[in-house]
């Protein structure tokens, strides 16, 4: 008997299966990275993003598929990491909009919603590129729209969509020459194909997905280390608002509702109860995060607008006491409290040395992240809203974080501008243009104006054999990559670094900055400096300990 309807039960199984499938296949998707470097993160980003959507769906209490789809979309948005995760969240955002108000989905409802997801994803990308996840979602959606005219058998239609996604995926190398040269399909498109395969398997029972991580593991995956900027530094007695209070309120539901939801009224009351306030809502649910001395008042306030779907209260003073016990030998001397800046300058970076260097140049907060661990939209939004500042600048320092940063800016409580830095070197150059007295827009413009003045190089090891840009690269070779292009390949890290710097220098070069990472050394950096000076003894060569993972050396030339 043909399946023609998706109820909440089927939809839940499909979403959970997709999260499990991406979790299972994350490393394979990562391996499809065009560059053979040990930091492919598309699979990790898509897996963690989908895990957040699945968690929201699992915790939702509605039996209407339209409302469950909204929960998935919301979870995906707040948990989205990297450009692939953000695009996946936009597909589900459009899907949720397409099935709004529906208790169940007919076959046509499902196809129409999926097609709306494709349109929404395209609109979210400023310059859509074919040969990517966008091609896969668009072509598979169109095939679904054609097939549903012939039959309302959901299994048959979904099988056709899956086959079309696979066909579109195999075509991506023809649309993006770099994929063809390397011999891989698009990693984001592969992730979406896995989602659709999981949907079909859950619907038909032909494919049993691996078990998802439990709630504790999921929380660890989804949430960044909470309040990490304070850990190991604050005296618990100095924490003004001691309870981290989170709740999710189902608007208009429950027996204690006395007020119709109004965002400003709701927000303003909570703002008087503490700080680090984050309020995100749609028509059905409002999610709250606040640091307060009165968690009971927060919860009581929420109940006036709807019933409490989830509640979480953490005693941050106690948490800080435990952290200080563990880290006591390494605690630095307490510094005098610093005045909260009017503008928060937030940067994403990996490595203690890199973080300290950026802070010395004016960054007020560093979010741990970069390649292999892109921060989520929620991570970025929390950093903005917990800064205490009136406005914020974000330096993503990685092109794969741009979309998440833009989305975080949209949900933040204060004005935010993005300085589109792709590398640490660009961030360092941009920060020299920062003026605390200038307006947010003027700072953003000034900082972006110098991004093209610096060449950014990175040295890392190849994780597989490949042919790229006419070069033969063997596994375990070292590569020098300048602004996204491999310019040097050598058997040793030092040789690769020397060849890379030689390619970066020109007659206008004045300053060379070397950041040695966890797999580099000061001695090797000094030797590299001497070699660079033999090429031009008038260069100013600076060396810093970066501690960054993956890249033994980050080198910039200005």
């Amino acid at each position: 008997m043909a399946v023609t309807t998706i109820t909440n039960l089927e939809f839940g199984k499909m979403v959970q299966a997709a999260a499990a499938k991406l979790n299972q296949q994350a490393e394979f998707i990562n391996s499809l990275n065009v560059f053979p470097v040990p930091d492919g993160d598309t699979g990790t980003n898509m897996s963690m993003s989908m895990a957040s959507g699945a968690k929201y769906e699992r915790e939702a209490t509605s039996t209407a598929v339209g409302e469950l789809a909204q929960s998935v979309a919301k979870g995906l948005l707040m948990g989205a990491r990297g450009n692939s995760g953000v695009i996946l969240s936009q597909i589900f955002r459009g899907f949720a909009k397409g099935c709004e108000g529906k208790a169940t989905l007919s076959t046509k409802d499902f196809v129409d919603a999926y097609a709306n997801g494709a349109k929404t994803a395209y609109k979210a990308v400023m310059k859509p590129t074919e040969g990517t996840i966008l091609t896969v979602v668009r072509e598979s959606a169109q095939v679904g729209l054609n097939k549903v005219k012939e039959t309302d058998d959901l299994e048959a239609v979904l099988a056709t969509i899956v086959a079309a996604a696979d066909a579109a995926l195999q075509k991506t190398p023809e649309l993006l020459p770099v994929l063809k040269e390397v011999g891989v399909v698009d990693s984001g498109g592969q992730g979406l194909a896995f989602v659709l395969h999981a949907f079909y398997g859950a619907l038909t029972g032909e494919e049993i997905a691996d078990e998802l991580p439990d709630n504790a593991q999921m929380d660890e995956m989804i949430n960044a280390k909470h309040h990490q900027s304070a850990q190991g530094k604050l005296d618990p007695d100095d924490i003004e608002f001691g309870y981290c209070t989170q709740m999710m309120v189902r608007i208009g539901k429950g027996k204690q509702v006395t007020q119709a939801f109004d965002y400003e009224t709701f927000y303003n009351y909570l703002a008087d109860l503490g700080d680090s306030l984050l309020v995100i809502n749609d028509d059905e649910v409002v999610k709250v995060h606040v640091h307060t001395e009165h968690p009971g008042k927060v919860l009581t306030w929420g109940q006036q607008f709807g019933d409490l779907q989830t509640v979480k209260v953490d005693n941050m003073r106690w948490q800080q006491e435990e952290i200080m016990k563990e880290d006591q030998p390494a605690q630095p001397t307490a510094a005098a409290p610093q005045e909260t800046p009017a503008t928060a300058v937030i940067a994403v970076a990996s490595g203690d040395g890199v973080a300290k260097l950026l802070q010395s140049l004016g960054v007020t907060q560093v979010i741990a992240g970069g390649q292999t661990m892109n921060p989520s939209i929620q991570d970025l939004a929390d950093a903005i809203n917990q800064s205490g500042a009136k406005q914020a600048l974000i330096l993503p320092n990685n092109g794969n974080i741009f979309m998440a940063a833009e989305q975080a800016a949209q949900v933040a409580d204060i004005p935010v501008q993005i300085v589109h830095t792709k590398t640490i070197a660009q961030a360092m150059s941009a920060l020299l243009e920062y003026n605390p007295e200038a307006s947010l827009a003027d700072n953003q413009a000034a900082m972006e104006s110098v991004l093209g003045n610096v060449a950014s190089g990175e040295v890392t090891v190849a994780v597989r054999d490949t042919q790229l840009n006419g070069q033969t690269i063997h596994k375990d070779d070292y590569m020098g990559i300048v602004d996204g292009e491999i310019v040097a390949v050598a058997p040793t890290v030092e040789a690769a670094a020397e060849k890379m710097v030689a390619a970066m220098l020109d007659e206008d070069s004045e300053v060379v900055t070397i950041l040695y990472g966890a797999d580099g050394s000061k001695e090797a950096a000094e030797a590299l400096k001497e070699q660079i000076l033999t090429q031009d003894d008038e260069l100013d060569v600076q060396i810093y300990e970066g501690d960054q993972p993956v890249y033994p050396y980050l080198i910039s030339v200005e």
Side-chain angles (χ1 to χ4, degrees), residues 15 48 88 92 122 177 189 192-193 252 288 299 350 555:
V15 170
M48 296 180 77
L88 186 65
F92 275 89
Y122 265 85
L192 179 62
V288 174
L299 304 182
S350 298
I555 301 174

Side-chain angles (χ1 to χ4, degrees), residues 462-479:
V463 294
R464 67 170 186 270
D465 294 345
T466 193
Q467 293 277 342
L468 185 61
N469 296 336
Q471 298 186 83
T472 299
I473 302 169
H474 299 291
K475 184 178 182 294
D476 297 329
D477 278 348
Y478 284 90
M479 302 174 295

Side-chain angles (χ1 to χ4, degrees), residues 189-213:
Q190 178 66 81
L192 179 62
F194 279 137
V195 168
L196 294 171
H197 275 275
F199 275 12
Y200 183 79
L203 188 67
T204 63
E206 291 182 8
E207 181 177 315
I208 305 300
D210 286 355
E211 185 177 350
L212 278 172

